[in-house]
Amino acid sequence: MTAADLYAVLTLRLLVFVVEQTCPYPELDGRDLLPDTVHVWWQPDTEPLAYLRVLGAPGTVRRVGRVCTAATARGTGLGSKLMAAALDIVGPDESVLDAQLPAQALYAKFGYLPEGDPFDEDGILHIRMRRPGHSLTATSV
């Protein structure tokens, strides 16, 4: 990821999470620079339209987060495409995410199950969702 790429995806994240959702919170949490963080984004032109990141090393419980789509690209299936890419990265590992309640159905399509009660994070209701790990076993035909 180049500095220009990072700047572009951070701009998208700030526009969606801080400006649009009027939620001033510490968006820059230091996790973007961790060696195990994988950034996934869709950028067909000059600006990214959708983004997410996967945290954690392979073989551990992975965390999918900062899932966002530009307002102009919502309803186009980009969120699903990025989630499919995230699960390719997660592989057989267990993974968790904190879903905003309106997005819960999106994550359920990918095998994430709600865990616990909804909670308020920075004025927005979320729910923890978990996708169990899957063992890779060879099968014969």
Side-chain angles (χ1 to χ4, degrees), residues 57-118:
T60 66
V61 176
R62 312 293 288 276
R63 174 171 281 282
V64 176
R66 299 298 202 263
V67 181
C68 62
T69 303
T72 58
R74 291 193 191 130
T76 63
L78 284 179
S80 291
K81 287 179 183 178
L82 261 61
M83 282 304 298
L87 292 184
D88 285 345
I89 294 163
V90 168
D93 295 335
E94 180 178 2
S95 60
V96 297
L97 54 81
D98 291 338
Q100 292 185 11
L101 287 187
Q104 186 176 350
L106 167 68
Y107 303 120
K109 290 189 325 186
F110 291 94
Y112 285 88
L113 303 170
E115 182 178 272
D117 294 322

